[in-house]
Amino acid sequence: MLDRRSALRGLAALTAVLTVVGCGSADRAPVLLAAGEPGGFFWEFSGLLAAAAARAGTARVEPLRSGGSAENLDLLRSGRADLAISLSDTAQDSAGAQDLRAVGRVYENYFQVAVRHDTDITSLPGLAGRTVSIGAAGSGATTLSERVLATAGLSGPDAVRRVQQPMRAAAAALADGSVDAVMWAGGVPTPAFSDAGDIRLLDLTAAVAALRQRYGTSYEPVSVPADAYGRHPAVTTVGVANLLLARAEVNDQIVAALVDLLLDDPSALVPDQAIGSQFLDAQSLIQTGPVVLHPGAAAEYRRRHG
């Protein structure tokens, strides 16, 4: 369950989207943003971005629930969404990646592997033969989960018993013992797991090194502080950037207005769960890797910073 502060904040953000802000805003068609699932980083950020756009009167941004990065990309490509949030590795590795357009590199997600505190599992190899939730269907976390398992020699179909669950269901399953471990990508602490009982995060230092060797610098080591979810030491885990994407057909002025929000109101766009690396500055926003900037975004960054 989301804590009360996050729930009220999310409700306020989505209420703001429906409020008439500025001249003629009620007549604007909504800009649909493929987001994620409640209790996750993508959903919280999307609500805050929608609220900021509503306050500025520049666009009616409407977040859409989804399973995560992979589904968001499908929604974007099919035209059922105008904007989408995606893990950068999912976007870069997807079919038709060359046709994607970025508004900016907005945040870093933390890939996390949690077990119950009373388990004897202390490292990735200890997951052999166990039941592991590898992310929701349609999430980028599922692909990254498979890559992380492979670094520990657990890529075979029978190496672990895989299940796919949304975050809240996975947290409940971990708490009641129906799964032995949960893998997901989100902020720290991810609200969906804040009430999952006494859990412990596995250190992924070796996995980060193996991922970087095979896939490059899309992945980087990030630190999770001690006791973020109860009683556990500080650990190193896998960091992967989030990209805010737009269909090429989205009006340049709308995209430029979103860039202005990212540059001018960054403190209002930080979810409660976001700690550690936070991009949201001019230099890092444009570092979108092989995914090129939307023309409206590129022009606005040049206008603002040369």
Side-chain angles (χ1 to χ4, degrees):
M1 296 292 292
L2 287 169
D3 59 41
R4 185 172 183 272
R5 182 183 176 194
S6 295
L8 291 175
R9 192 171 178 180
L11 178 61
L14 293 180
T15 299
V17 179
L18 303 177
T19 302
V20 176
V21 180
C23 178
S25 61
D27 298 328
R28 294 193 181 102
V31 179
L32 302 180
L33 169 55
E37 54 181 298
F41 186 100
F42 287 3
W43 183 254
E44 287 207 348
F45 173 72
S46 297
L48 295 174
L49 182 65
R55 287 193 301 271
T58 56
R60 289 175 52 207
V61 176
E62 183 178 319
L64 304 176
R65 294 190 183 194
S66 75
S69 297
E71 184 176 351
N72 290 348
L73 293 173
D74 288 341
L75 291 168
L76 190 71
R77 291 193 174 101
S78 68
R80 291 174 289 165
D82 305 296
L83 308 171
I85 303 177
S86 174
L87 296 177
S88 60
D89 61 338
T90 306
Q92 293 167 16
D93 296 342
S94 65
Q98 69 277 4
D99 297 324
L100 295 174
R101 297 294 178 265
V103 180
R105 176 188 187 187
V106 289
Y107 281 111
E108 189 163 49
N109 259 25
Y110 290 59
F111 180 82
Q112 299 161 71
V113 182
V115 297
R116 291 184 304 281
H117 196 276
D118 59 0
T119 186
D120 60 355
I121 301 170
T122 59
S123 63
L124 284 175
L127 298 178
R130 307 296 185 109
T131 302
V132 181
S133 177
I134 61 169
S139 71
T142 297
T143 298
L144 184 47
S145 293
E146 293 290 0
R147 290 180 175 181
V148 169
L149 288 171
T151 68
L154 301 175
S155 58
D158 300 321
V160 300
R161 293 187 292 274
R162 296 163 171 81
V163 296
Q164 289 186 282
Q165 298 170 310
M167 289 183 185
R168 288 180 178 174
L174 185 62
D176 67 24
S178 54
V179 301
D180 298 299
V182 176
M183 297 178 157
W184 79 96
V188 179
T190 301
F193 291 89
S194 295
D195 298 322
D198 205 0
I199 64 176
R200 174 164 46 83
L201 297 184
L202 299 185
D203 187 272
L204 302 182
T205 300
V208 178
L211 289 169
R212 287 173 65 84
Q213 183 176 19
R214 180 165 183 180
Y215 298 103
T217 56
S218 292
Y219 303 116
E220 56 187 2
V222 291
S223 297
V224 177
D227 303 332
Y229 296 97
R231 296 176 297 150
H232 62 82
V235 299
T236 294
T237 191
V238 184
V240 56
N242 297 339
L243 299 179
L244 177 60
L245 305 168
R247 294 176 61 230
E249 295 79 9
V250 174
N251 184 280
D252 287 0
Q253 291 182 332
I254 291 176
V255 175
L258 293 173
V259 168
D260 289 338
L261 293 176
L262 297 175
L263 290 171
D264 295 338
D265 202 9
S267 62
L269 302 177
V270 180
D272 287 342
Q273 59 179 289
I275 64 174
S277 299
Q278 299 170 13
F279 299 130
L280 283 183
D281 62 64
Q283 182 176 359
S284 57
L285 280 166
I286 63 174
Q287 295 173 358
T288 57
V291 180
V292 300
L293 289 170
H294 187 285
E300 188 64 7
Y301 287 123
R302 283 195 299 269
R303 186 186 75 80
R304 295 284 301 267
H305 296 286

